[in-house]
Amino acid sequence: MANPRAAMLVIGDEILSGRTRDSNMHHLAGELTARGIDLVEARTVPDVHATIRDSVRALSEAHDIVFTSGGIGPTHDDITADAVADAFGAAIDVREDARAILTAHYDARGTELNEARLRMARIPDGAALIENPVSAAPGFILRNVHVMAGVPAIFQAMLASVLPGLTGGAPLMSQSLRIYRGEGDIAGPLRKMATDHPDLSFGSYPFQKDGVHGAQVVVRGTDAGQIADAMTWLSDTFGGDAE
Amino acid sequence: MANPRAAMLVIGDEILSGRTRDSNMHHLAGELTARGIDLVEARTVPDVHATIRDSVRALSEAHDIVFTSGGIGPTHDDITADAVADAFGAAIDVREDARAILTAHYDARGTELNEARLRMARIPDGAALIENPVSAAPGFILRNVHVMAGVPAIFQAMLASVLPGLTGGAPLMSQSLRIYRGEGDIAGPLRKMATDHPDLSFGSYPFQKDGVHGAQVVVRGTDAGQIADAMTWLSDTFGGDAE
Protein backbone atom coordinates (compact mmCIF):
# COMPACT_ATOMS: atom_id res chain seq x y z
CA MET A 1 0.00 0.00 0.00
CA ALA A 2 1.35 3.39 -0.99
CA ASN A 3 2.34 5.95 1.60
CA PRO A 4 -0.12 8.75 2.41
CA ARG A 5 0.48 11.88 0.32
CA ALA A 6 0.79 15.27 1.99
CA ALA A 7 1.00 18.86 0.83
CA MET A 8 2.09 22.05 2.59
CA LEU A 9 0.78 25.56 2.17
CA VAL A 10 3.18 28.22 3.47
CA ILE A 11 1.30 31.48 3.94
CA GLY A 12 2.96 34.86 4.24
CA ASP A 13 3.74 38.04 2.33
CA GLU A 14 7.03 38.30 4.20
CA ILE A 15 8.29 35.06 2.68
CA LEU A 16 7.43 36.02 -0.88
CA SER A 17 9.00 39.46 -0.40
CA GLY A 18 12.24 37.81 0.69
CA ARG A 19 12.24 39.39 4.12
CA THR A 20 11.83 36.07 5.94
CA ARG A 21 13.18 32.68 4.97
CA ASP A 22 10.71 29.89 5.72
CA SER A 23 11.95 26.98 7.81
CA ASN A 24 8.66 25.22 8.48
CA MET A 25 8.48 23.35 5.18
CA HIS A 26 11.93 21.85 5.65
CA HIS A 27 11.04 20.83 9.20
CA LEU A 28 7.74 19.30 8.11
CA ALA A 29 9.41 17.43 5.25
CA GLY A 30 11.86 15.70 7.58
CA GLU A 31 9.20 14.79 10.13
CA LEU A 32 6.86 13.33 7.51
CA THR A 33 9.56 11.34 5.74
CA ALA A 34 10.55 9.73 9.03
CA ARG A 35 6.94 8.54 9.46
CA GLY A 36 6.35 7.21 5.96
CA ILE A 37 4.22 10.11 4.78
CA ASP A 38 5.26 11.55 1.42
CA LEU A 39 5.34 15.33 1.09
CA VAL A 40 4.52 15.64 -2.61
CA GLU A 41 3.92 19.36 -3.03
CA ALA A 42 4.49 22.63 -1.24
CA ARG A 43 3.11 26.03 -2.18
CA THR A 44 3.92 29.47 -0.83
CA VAL A 45 1.20 32.08 -1.15
CA PRO A 46 0.55 35.64 0.06
CA ASP A 47 -1.84 36.76 2.81
CA VAL A 48 -4.70 37.04 0.30
CA HIS A 49 -8.07 35.50 1.17
CA ALA A 50 -9.03 34.19 -2.28
CA THR A 51 -5.59 32.74 -2.93
CA ILE A 52 -5.44 30.94 0.41
CA ARG A 53 -8.99 29.71 0.02
CA ASP A 54 -8.46 28.35 -3.51
CA SER A 55 -5.08 26.80 -2.68
CA VAL A 56 -6.42 25.05 0.42
CA ARG A 57 -9.36 23.70 -1.53
CA ALA A 58 -7.17 22.44 -4.38
CA LEU A 59 -4.56 20.82 -2.12
CA SER A 60 -7.20 19.28 0.15
CA GLU A 61 -8.86 17.60 -2.82
CA ALA A 62 -5.64 16.44 -4.46
CA HIS A 63 -3.85 15.00 -1.42
CA ASP A 64 -4.51 12.91 1.70
CA ILE A 65 -3.24 15.44 4.25
CA VAL A 66 -2.57 19.18 4.12
CA PHE A 67 -0.58 21.38 6.52
CA THR A 68 -0.64 25.16 6.49
CA SER A 69 1.62 27.58 8.33
CA GLY A 70 1.10 31.26 8.99
CA GLY A 71 -1.65 33.80 9.33
CA ILE A 72 -3.36 32.78 12.58
CA GLY A 73 -2.14 35.63 14.78
CA PRO A 74 -4.11 38.67 16.02
CA THR A 75 -3.34 41.28 13.37
CA HIS A 76 -5.32 42.45 10.33
CA ASP A 77 -3.11 40.45 7.94
CA ASP A 78 -3.82 37.21 9.81
CA ILE A 79 -6.62 35.91 7.63
CA THR A 80 -5.94 32.20 7.29
CA ALA A 81 -8.73 30.88 9.51
CA ASP A 82 -11.45 32.73 7.60
CA ALA A 83 -9.99 31.69 4.25
CA VAL A 84 -9.84 28.02 5.27
CA ALA A 85 -13.42 28.16 6.53
CA ASP A 86 -14.47 29.69 3.20
CA ALA A 87 -12.66 26.92 1.31
CA PHE A 88 -15.07 24.38 2.81
CA GLY A 89 -18.16 26.51 3.20
CA ALA A 90 -17.88 26.34 6.99
CA ALA A 91 -19.21 29.03 9.27
CA ILE A 92 -16.63 30.78 11.45
CA ASP A 93 -16.87 32.93 14.55
CA VAL A 94 -15.26 33.25 17.97
CA ARG A 95 -15.70 29.77 19.47
CA GLU A 96 -16.12 29.25 23.18
CA ASP A 97 -13.53 26.53 23.65
CA ALA A 98 -10.83 28.64 22.01
CA ARG A 99 -11.97 31.78 23.85
CA ALA A 100 -11.69 29.92 27.16
CA ILE A 101 -8.10 28.94 26.39
CA LEU A 102 -7.15 32.50 25.54
CA THR A 103 -9.01 33.92 28.54
CA ALA A 104 -7.13 31.63 30.91
CA HIS A 105 -3.81 32.50 29.24
CA TYR A 106 -4.24 36.26 29.28
CA ASP A 107 -5.89 36.44 32.73
CA ALA A 108 -2.85 34.70 34.16
CA ARG A 109 -0.69 37.42 32.65
CA GLY A 110 -2.90 40.38 33.46
CA THR A 111 -3.24 41.12 29.74
CA GLU A 112 -6.48 42.32 28.18
CA LEU A 113 -8.22 39.87 25.83
CA ASN A 114 -9.02 42.70 23.42
CA GLU A 115 -10.78 42.56 20.06
CA ALA A 116 -7.56 41.84 18.18
CA ARG A 117 -6.53 38.96 20.41
CA LEU A 118 -10.05 37.55 20.30
CA ARG A 119 -9.54 37.05 16.56
CA MET A 120 -7.29 34.17 17.48
CA ALA A 121 -10.36 32.41 18.91
CA ARG A 122 -12.06 32.40 15.50
CA ILE A 123 -12.38 28.68 14.76
CA PRO A 124 -14.49 27.16 11.94
CA ASP A 125 -17.53 25.07 12.83
CA GLY A 126 -16.57 21.41 12.93
CA ALA A 127 -12.85 21.99 13.43
CA ALA A 128 -10.81 20.25 16.14
CA LEU A 129 -8.31 22.38 18.05
CA ILE A 130 -4.54 21.90 17.91
CA GLU A 131 -2.89 22.76 21.20
CA ASN A 132 -0.32 25.58 21.34
CA PRO A 133 1.89 24.99 24.38
CA VAL A 134 4.04 28.01 23.54
CA SER A 135 1.55 30.88 23.37
CA ALA A 136 -1.91 29.37 23.86
CA ALA A 137 -3.66 30.49 20.66
CA PRO A 138 -4.72 27.17 19.11
CA GLY A 139 -4.41 25.89 15.60
CA PHE A 140 -7.16 23.72 14.15
CA ILE A 141 -7.92 20.77 11.91
CA LEU A 142 -10.76 21.06 9.40
CA ARG A 143 -11.38 18.08 7.13
CA ASN A 144 -7.87 16.96 6.15
CA VAL A 145 -6.25 20.39 6.64
CA HIS A 146 -4.05 21.13 9.67
CA VAL A 147 -3.84 24.90 10.19
CA MET A 148 -0.84 25.91 12.25
CA ALA A 149 1.23 28.94 13.24
CA GLY A 150 3.98 30.53 11.18
CA VAL A 151 6.35 31.20 14.08
CA PRO A 152 8.74 28.21 13.82
CA ALA A 153 8.76 27.25 17.51
CA ILE A 154 4.97 27.19 17.61
CA PHE A 155 4.68 25.38 14.26
CA GLN A 156 7.04 22.67 15.50
CA ALA A 157 5.19 22.27 18.80
CA MET A 158 1.81 22.07 17.05
CA LEU A 159 3.16 19.55 14.54
CA ALA A 160 4.56 17.41 17.34
CA SER A 161 1.11 17.17 18.89
CA VAL A 162 -0.53 16.32 15.56
CA LEU A 163 1.91 13.71 14.19
CA PRO A 164 1.10 10.85 16.59
CA GLY A 165 -2.48 10.94 15.30
CA LEU A 166 -1.47 10.45 11.69
CA THR A 167 -1.18 7.07 10.04
CA GLY A 168 2.05 6.79 8.16
CA GLY A 169 3.35 4.22 5.76
CA ALA A 170 6.70 2.55 5.68
CA PRO A 171 9.30 5.07 6.78
CA LEU A 172 11.60 6.08 3.95
CA MET A 173 15.18 5.31 4.82
CA SER A 174 18.21 6.65 3.08
CA GLN A 175 21.92 6.20 3.01
CA SER A 176 24.42 8.28 1.15
CA LEU A 177 27.86 7.98 -0.31
CA ARG A 178 30.26 10.79 -1.22
CA ILE A 179 31.82 9.79 -4.51
CA TYR A 180 34.88 11.72 -5.72
CA ARG A 181 33.99 11.53 -9.40
CA GLY A 182 32.05 13.91 -11.62
CA GLU A 183 28.30 13.40 -11.85
CA GLY A 184 28.72 12.82 -15.56
CA ASP A 185 31.02 9.85 -14.89
CA ILE A 186 28.62 8.00 -12.64
CA ALA A 187 25.35 8.95 -14.32
CA GLY A 188 25.27 6.02 -16.77
CA PRO A 189 25.71 3.24 -14.17
CA LEU A 190 23.41 5.09 -11.76
CA ARG A 191 20.66 5.20 -14.35
CA LYS A 192 21.01 1.44 -14.82
CA MET A 193 20.84 0.87 -11.05
CA ALA A 194 17.65 2.97 -10.88
CA THR A 195 16.05 0.98 -13.70
CA ASP A 196 17.08 -2.37 -12.19
CA HIS A 197 15.82 -1.44 -8.70
CA PRO A 198 12.39 0.17 -9.06
CA ASP A 199 11.78 0.02 -5.29
CA LEU A 200 14.76 2.27 -4.65
CA SER A 201 15.39 5.82 -5.73
CA PHE A 202 18.84 7.17 -6.52
CA GLY A 203 19.53 10.86 -6.30
CA SER A 204 22.79 12.48 -7.26
CA TYR A 205 23.85 15.88 -5.91
CA PRO A 206 27.09 17.48 -7.08
CA PHE A 207 29.39 19.06 -4.52
CA GLN A 208 32.56 21.05 -4.58
CA LYS A 209 34.64 21.53 -1.47
CA ASP A 210 38.21 22.77 -1.09
CA GLY A 211 38.91 22.18 -4.75
CA VAL A 212 37.59 18.63 -4.65
CA HIS A 213 34.48 17.93 -6.63
CA GLY A 214 32.22 14.94 -6.71
CA ALA A 215 28.68 13.72 -6.26
CA GLN A 216 26.75 12.78 -3.18
CA VAL A 217 24.62 9.78 -4.10
CA VAL A 218 21.55 9.19 -1.95
CA VAL A 219 19.80 5.83 -2.00
CA ARG A 220 16.22 5.88 -0.66
CA GLY A 221 13.81 3.05 -0.02
CA THR A 222 11.74 1.22 2.56
CA ASP A 223 13.81 -2.00 2.64
CA ALA A 224 17.05 -1.69 4.59
CA GLY A 225 18.52 -4.79 2.94
CA GLN A 226 17.97 -3.47 -0.56
CA ILE A 227 19.51 -0.14 0.39
CA ALA A 228 22.54 -1.85 1.92
CA ASP A 229 23.10 -3.98 -1.20
CA ALA A 230 22.89 -0.92 -3.41
CA MET A 231 25.37 0.96 -1.22
CA THR A 232 27.79 -1.98 -1.39
CA TRP A 233 27.62 -2.04 -5.18
CA LEU A 234 28.11 1.73 -5.38
CA SER A 235 31.17 1.82 -3.15
CA ASP A 236 32.70 -1.26 -4.85
CA THR A 237 32.20 0.44 -8.22
CA PHE A 238 33.11 4.04 -7.42
CA GLY A 239 34.87 4.12 -4.06
CA GLY A 240 33.95 7.08 -1.90
CA ASP A 241 32.96 7.72 1.71
CA ALA A 242 29.74 6.55 3.33
CA GLU A 243 27.94 9.22 5.38
CA MET B 1 0.86 50.40 -13.65
CA ALA B 2 1.07 47.31 -11.50
CA ASN B 3 4.36 45.50 -10.99
CA PRO B 4 5.06 42.41 -13.07
CA ARG B 5 3.99 39.19 -11.29
CA ALA B 6 6.43 36.30 -10.98
CA ALA B 7 6.23 32.70 -9.80
CA MET B 8 8.91 30.20 -8.83
CA LEU B 9 8.97 26.45 -9.32
CA VAL B 10 11.48 24.69 -7.06
CA ILE B 11 12.13 21.20 -8.42
CA GLY B 12 13.66 18.40 -6.40
CA ASP B 13 12.83 15.19 -4.53
CA GLU B 14 15.57 16.02 -2.02
CA ILE B 15 13.75 19.16 -0.91
CA LEU B 16 10.41 17.45 -0.39
CA SER B 17 12.10 14.60 1.50
CA GLY B 18 13.64 17.12 3.88
CA ARG B 19 17.22 16.17 3.04
CA THR B 20 18.01 19.55 1.51
CA ARG B 21 16.73 22.95 2.52
CA ASP B 22 16.06 25.18 -0.49
CA SER B 23 17.70 28.61 -0.50
CA ASN B 24 16.98 29.65 -4.07
CA MET B 25 13.44 30.86 -3.49
CA HIS B 26 14.49 33.17 -0.68
CA HIS B 27 17.32 34.53 -2.83
CA LEU B 28 15.02 35.06 -5.81
CA ALA B 29 12.40 36.76 -3.65
CA GLY B 30 14.86 39.37 -2.40
CA GLU B 31 16.27 40.06 -5.86
CA LEU B 32 12.84 40.47 -7.44
CA THR B 33 11.49 42.71 -4.68
CA ALA B 34 14.46 45.02 -5.10
CA ARG B 35 13.57 45.39 -8.79
CA GLY B 36 9.86 45.96 -8.45
CA ILE B 37 8.81 42.49 -9.55
CA ASP B 38 6.30 40.79 -7.24
CA LEU B 39 6.88 37.13 -6.44
CA VAL B 40 3.28 36.02 -5.95
CA GLU B 41 3.58 32.25 -5.75
CA ALA B 42 6.16 29.55 -5.25
CA ARG B 43 5.67 25.82 -5.67
CA THR B 44 7.96 22.93 -4.76
CA VAL B 45 7.49 19.75 -6.76
CA PRO B 46 9.26 16.39 -7.15
CA ASP B 47 11.41 15.21 -10.09
CA VAL B 48 8.33 13.88 -11.89
CA HIS B 49 7.83 14.71 -15.57
CA ALA B 50 4.06 15.17 -15.56
CA THR B 51 4.09 17.25 -12.39
CA ILE B 52 6.82 19.58 -13.64
CA ARG B 53 5.16 19.85 -17.05
CA ASP B 54 1.72 20.69 -15.63
CA SER B 55 3.09 23.09 -13.01
CA VAL B 56 5.19 24.98 -15.56
CA ARG B 57 2.23 25.26 -17.88
CA ALA B 58 -0.09 26.51 -15.12
CA LEU B 59 2.37 29.04 -13.71
CA SER B 60 3.38 30.29 -17.16
CA GLU B 61 -0.25 31.02 -18.02
CA ALA B 62 -1.12 32.59 -14.68
CA HIS B 63 1.88 34.90 -14.25
CA ASP B 64 4.13 37.27 -16.21
CA ILE B 65 7.44 35.57 -15.44
CA VAL B 66 8.36 32.12 -14.13
CA PHE B 67 11.67 30.88 -12.70
CA THR B 68 12.49 27.24 -12.10
CA SER B 69 15.41 25.75 -10.19
CA GLY B 70 16.73 22.21 -10.26
CA GLY B 71 16.86 19.19 -12.50
CA ILE B 72 19.16 20.32 -15.32
CA GLY B 73 22.20 18.23 -14.42
CA PRO B 74 23.52 15.09 -16.16
CA THR B 75 21.87 12.31 -14.14
CA HIS B 76 18.75 10.24 -14.82
CA ASP B 77 16.68 12.25 -12.32
CA ASP B 78 17.48 15.51 -14.12
CA ILE B 79 14.37 15.74 -16.25
CA THR B 80 13.37 19.41 -16.11
CA ALA B 81 14.36 20.40 -19.66
CA ASP B 82 12.24 17.67 -21.25
CA ALA B 83 9.28 18.44 -18.98
CA VAL B 84 9.44 22.16 -19.79
CA ALA B 85 9.63 21.42 -23.53
CA ASP B 86 6.59 19.15 -23.15
CA ALA B 87 4.69 21.91 -21.32
CA PHE B 88 4.82 24.05 -24.48
CA GLY B 89 4.80 21.35 -27.13
CA ALA B 90 8.37 22.22 -28.12
CA ALA B 91 10.76 19.71 -29.66
CA ILE B 92 13.90 19.00 -27.65
CA ASP B 93 17.23 17.39 -28.52
CA VAL B 94 20.92 18.02 -28.07
CA ARG B 95 21.41 21.51 -29.53
CA GLU B 96 24.63 22.54 -31.24
CA ASP B 97 25.17 25.84 -29.43
CA ALA B 98 24.88 24.15 -26.03
CA ARG B 99 27.00 21.20 -27.17
CA ALA B 100 29.75 23.59 -28.28
CA ILE B 101 29.80 25.24 -24.87
CA LEU B 102 30.10 21.90 -23.10
CA THR B 103 32.70 20.61 -25.56
CA ALA B 104 34.90 23.62 -24.96
CA HIS B 105 34.49 23.28 -21.19
CA TYR B 106 35.27 19.58 -20.98
CA ASP B 107 38.06 19.62 -23.60
CA ALA B 108 39.86 22.23 -21.51
CA ARG B 109 39.69 19.84 -18.57
CA GLY B 110 40.50 16.63 -20.40
CA THR B 111 37.11 15.23 -19.39
CA GLU B 112 35.00 13.07 -21.70
CA LEU B 113 31.77 14.63 -22.95
CA ASN B 114 29.95 11.33 -22.46
CA GLU B 115 26.28 10.50 -23.03
CA ALA B 116 25.28 11.61 -19.53
CA ARG B 117 26.99 14.99 -19.78
CA LEU B 118 25.57 15.49 -23.25
CA ARG B 119 22.11 15.48 -21.66
CA MET B 120 22.94 18.92 -20.34
CA ALA B 121 22.99 20.12 -23.95
CA ARG B 122 19.34 19.18 -24.44
CA ILE B 123 17.70 22.54 -25.12
CA PRO B 124 14.14 23.04 -26.42
CA ASP B 125 13.63 24.51 -29.90
CA GLY B 126 13.14 28.24 -29.66
CA ALA B 127 14.79 28.63 -26.24
CA ALA B 128 17.49 31.21 -25.51
CA LEU B 129 20.46 30.07 -23.46
CA ILE B 130 21.29 31.37 -19.98
CA GLU B 131 25.02 31.48 -19.36
CA ASN B 132 26.52 29.39 -16.54
CA PRO B 133 29.84 30.98 -15.56
CA VAL B 134 30.35 28.44 -12.78
CA SER B 135 30.16 25.10 -14.56
CA ALA B 136 29.30 25.82 -18.20
CA ALA B 137 26.08 23.80 -18.61
CA PRO B 138 23.58 26.48 -19.66
CA GLY B 139 20.08 27.18 -18.43
CA PHE B 140 17.47 28.40 -20.88
CA ILE B 141 14.49 30.68 -21.38
CA LEU B 142 11.42 29.31 -23.16
CA ARG B 143 8.44 31.65 -23.50
CA ASN B 144 8.26 33.36 -20.08
CA VAL B 145 9.96 30.54 -18.18
CA HIS B 146 13.57 30.85 -16.98
CA VAL B 147 14.98 27.37 -16.33
CA MET B 148 17.98 27.44 -14.01
CA ALA B 149 20.19 25.18 -11.92
CA GLY B 150 19.41 23.94 -8.42
CA VAL B 151 22.94 24.32 -7.04
CA PRO B 152 22.67 27.70 -5.24
CA ALA B 153 25.91 29.25 -6.56
CA ILE B 154 24.91 28.44 -10.14
CA PHE B 155 21.30 29.56 -9.63
CA GLN B 156 22.49 32.90 -8.28
CA ALA B 157 24.94 33.41 -11.14
CA MET B 158 22.32 32.54 -13.77
CA LEU B 159 19.78 34.84 -12.10
CA ALA B 160 22.29 37.69 -12.06
CA SER B 161 22.71 37.38 -15.82
CA VAL B 162 18.95 37.26 -16.41
CA LEU B 163 17.76 40.09 -14.15
CA PRO B 164 19.10 43.05 -16.15
CA GLY B 165 16.91 41.91 -19.05
CA LEU B 166 13.71 42.01 -17.03
CA THR B 167 11.48 45.05 -16.80
CA GLY B 168 10.57 45.75 -13.23
CA GLY B 169 8.11 48.08 -11.67
CA ALA B 170 8.62 50.45 -8.80
CA PRO B 171 10.96 48.78 -6.32
CA LEU B 172 9.20 47.86 -3.12
CA MET B 173 10.87 49.55 -0.18
CA SER B 174 10.40 48.66 3.43
CA GLN B 175 11.29 49.92 6.85
CA SER B 176 10.73 48.20 10.10
CA LEU B 177 10.29 49.00 13.73
CA ARG B 178 10.74 46.72 16.73
CA ILE B 179 7.90 47.51 19.09
CA TYR B 180 8.08 46.15 22.63
CA ARG B 181 4.36 45.53 22.96
CA GLY B 182 2.27 42.46 22.29
CA GLU B 183 0.87 42.06 18.80
CA GLY B 184 -2.60 42.12 20.28
CA ASP B 185 -1.99 45.59 21.71
CA ILE B 186 -0.99 47.19 18.43
CA ALA B 187 -3.28 45.25 16.10
CA GLY B 188 -6.23 47.65 16.31
CA PRO B 189 -4.32 50.84 15.43
CA LEU B 190 -2.30 48.94 12.82
CA ARG B 191 -5.46 47.78 11.10
CA LYS B 192 -6.66 51.38 10.96
CA MET B 193 -3.33 52.51 9.47
CA ALA B 194 -3.58 49.80 6.81
CA THR B 195 -7.11 50.88 5.91
CA ASP B 196 -6.18 54.58 5.82
CA HIS B 197 -3.07 53.96 3.66
CA PRO B 198 -4.03 51.58 0.84
CA ASP B 199 -0.72 52.21 -0.96
CA LEU B 200 1.24 50.84 1.98
CA SER B 201 1.19 47.39 3.52
CA PHE B 202 1.75 46.75 7.21
CA GLY B 203 2.97 43.41 8.42
CA SER B 204 3.36 42.43 12.03
CA TYR B 205 5.69 39.64 13.13
CA PRO B 206 5.88 38.63 16.78
CA PHE B 207 9.27 38.05 18.33
CA GLN B 208 10.57 36.85 21.64
CA LYS B 209 14.17 37.34 22.63
CA ASP B 210 15.83 37.02 26.03
CA GLY B 211 12.49 37.17 27.78
CA VAL B 212 11.41 40.30 25.93
CA HIS B 213 8.50 39.95 23.58
CA GLY B 214 7.11 42.31 21.00
CA ALA B 215 6.25 42.72 17.38
CA GLN B 216 8.37 43.70 14.43
CA VAL B 217 6.23 45.93 12.24
CA VAL B 218 7.23 46.17 8.60
CA VAL B 219 5.92 48.98 6.41
CA ARG B 220 6.17 48.33 2.66
CA GLY B 221 5.46 50.62 -0.26
CA THR B 222 6.87 52.31 -3.32
CA ASP B 223 6.81 55.89 -1.97
CA ALA B 224 9.62 56.64 0.47
CA GLY B 225 7.82 59.69 1.86
CA GLN B 226 4.68 57.73 2.70
CA ILE B 227 6.76 55.04 4.38
CA ALA B 228 8.66 57.61 6.43
CA ASP B 229 5.43 59.28 7.59
CA ALA B 230 3.99 55.93 8.63
CA MET B 231 7.16 55.05 10.53
CA THR B 232 7.02 58.38 12.35
CA TRP B 233 3.44 57.80 13.40
CA LEU B 234 4.23 54.26 14.57
CA SER B 235 7.20 55.23 16.71
CA ASP B 236 5.38 58.25 18.16
CA THR B 237 2.46 55.98 19.06
CA PHE B 238 4.27 52.85 20.26
CA GLY B 239 7.93 53.71 20.83
CA GLY B 240 10.34 51.01 19.75
CA ASP B 241 13.57 50.72 17.77
CA ALA B 242 13.90 51.38 14.05
CA GLU B 243 15.87 48.75 12.14
Side-chain angles (χ1 to χ4, degrees):
Chain A
M1 192 178 131
N3 283 356
R5 293 160 58 89
M8 169 127 186
L9 187 67
V10 177
I11 299 164
D13 287 346
E14 73 280 11
I15 295 161
L16 290 170
S17 75
R19 170 166 280 272
T20 301
R21 188 179 171 199
D22 173 66
S23 65
N24 294 329
M25 193 264 272
H26 178 61
H27 176 79
L28 177 72
E31 293 293 300
L32 293 182
T33 293
R35 289 167 175 75
I37 297 171
D38 296 343
L39 182 64
V40 297
E41 179 176 4
R43 290 193 195 180
T44 304
V45 295
D47 298 297
V48 172
H49 180 97
T51 307
I52 298 168
R53 176 198 66 207
D54 295 348
S55 301
V56 164
R57 195 180 280 153
L59 294 176
S60 171
E61 284 168 14
H63 305 293
D64 300 314
I65 320 169
V66 182
F67 300 87
T68 79
S69 73
I72 61 170
T75 56
H76 63 284
D77 55 341
D78 288 304
I79 61 169
T80 296
D82 282 64
V84 172
D86 194 8
F88 300 119
I92 181 169
D93 205 342
V94 170
R95 222 171 74 172
E96 288 318 304
D97 54 350
R99 180 207 285 260
I101 290 169
L102 293 179
T103 300
H105 177 76
Y106 288 112
D107 279 357
R109 286 154 184 74
T111 303
E112 179 199 359
L113 180 47
N114 60 14
E115 185 179 337
R117 290 189 176 98
L118 206 48
R119 294 189 69 245
M120 296 189 286
R122 292 177 69 76
I123 304 290
D125 277 5
L129 297 184
I130 299 174
E131 190 196 353
N132 171 357
V134 177
S135 55
F140 63 84
I141 306 172
L142 186 60
R143 303 232 185 144
N144 61 342
V145 182
H146 303 71
V147 177
M148 304 189 293
V151 172
I154 307 176
F155 179 86
Q156 294 180 25
M158 288 183 170
L159 182 63
S161 76
V162 156
L163 284 170
L166 301 178
T167 307
L172 195 67
M173 294 173 286
S174 71
Q175 285 194 47
S176 57
L177 189 68
R178 269 185 173 253
I179 293 172
Y180 299 99
R181 303 272 289 278
E183 269 204 296
D185 290 331
I186 68 172
L190 210 60
R191 177 190 285 274
K192 186 175 189 314
M193 275 294 271
T195 307
D196 292 350
H197 298 85
D199 291 341
L200 297 178
S201 84
F202 295 80
S204 164
Y205 310 104
F207 67 81
Q208 180 146 324
K209 199 173 175 184
D210 306 327
V212 175
H213 77 272
Q216 184 195 39
V217 174
V218 180
V219 185
R220 297 187 191 97
T222 56
D223 181 320
Q226 281 194 34
I227 294 174
D229 290 347
M231 288 291 289
T232 299
W233 182 89
L234 284 166
S235 65
D236 286 350
T237 308
F238 297 120
D241 303 327
E243 298 186 309
Chain B
M1 193 178 129
N3 284 355
R5 294 160 58 89
M8 169 128 187
L9 187 66
V10 177
I11 298 164
D13 288 345
E14 73 280 10
I15 296 162
L16 289 171
S17 75
R19 171 167 278 273
T20 300
R21 188 180 172 199
D22 173 67
S23 65
N24 294 328
M25 193 263 272
H26 177 59
H27 177 79
L28 177 73
E31 293 293 301
L32 292 181
T33 293
R35 287 166 178 76
I37 297 171
D38 297 343
L39 182 63
V40 297
E41 179 175 7
R43 291 191 194 181
T44 304
V45 295
D47 297 296
V48 173
H49 181 96
T51 307
I52 298 168
R53 175 197 66 205
D54 296 346
S55 302
V56 164
R57 196 180 279 152
L59 294 176
S60 171
E61 283 168 16
H63 305 293
D64 300 314
I65 320 169
V66 181
F67 299 87
T68 80
S69 73
I72 61 170
T75 56
H76 65 282
D77 56 340
D78 289 305
I79 61 170
T80 296
D82 282 63
V84 172
D86 194 7
F88 300 119
I92 181 168
D93 205 343
V94 169
R95 222 170 74 173
E96 289 317 304
D97 53 352
R99 180 206 286 260
I101 289 169
L102 292 178
T103 300
H105 177 75
Y106 288 112
D107 279 357
R109 287 155 182 73
T111 304
E112 179 198 359
L113 180 48
N114 60 14
E115 186 178 336
R117 291 191 175 96
L118 207 48
R119 294 189 68 245
M120 296 190 287
R122 293 177 69 74
I123 304 291
D125 276 5
L129 297 183
I130 298 174
E131 190 196 355
N132 171 356
V134 178
S135 56
F140 62 86
I141 307 172
L142 186 60
R143 303 233 187 144
N144 61 341
V145 182
H146 302 71
V147 177
M148 304 190 292
V151 173
I154 307 175
F155 178 86
Q156 293 181 25
M158 287 183 172
L159 182 63
S161 76
V162 157
L163 284 170
L166 301 178
T167 306
L172 194 67
M173 293 173 286
S174 71
Q175 284 195 48
S176 57
L177 189 69
R178 270 185 173 253
I179 294 172
Y180 299 98
R181 303 272 289 277
E183 269 204 296
D185 291 330
I186 67 172
L190 209 60
R191 177 190 285 273
K192 185 174 189 313
M193 275 295 270
T195 308
D196 291 350
H197 298 85
D199 289 341
L200 296 177
S201 83
F202 295 80
S204 165
Y205 311 105
F207 67 81
Q208 178 145 328
K209 199 172 177 183
D210 306 325
V212 176
H213 77 273
Q216 184 195 41
V217 174
V218 179
V219 185
R220 297 187 191 97
T222 55
D223 181 321
Q226 280 193 34
I227 296 175
D229 289 346
M231 288 290 290
T232 299
W233 181 88
L234 284 166
S235 65
D236 286 350
T237 307
F238 297 120
D241 303 327
E243 298 186 311

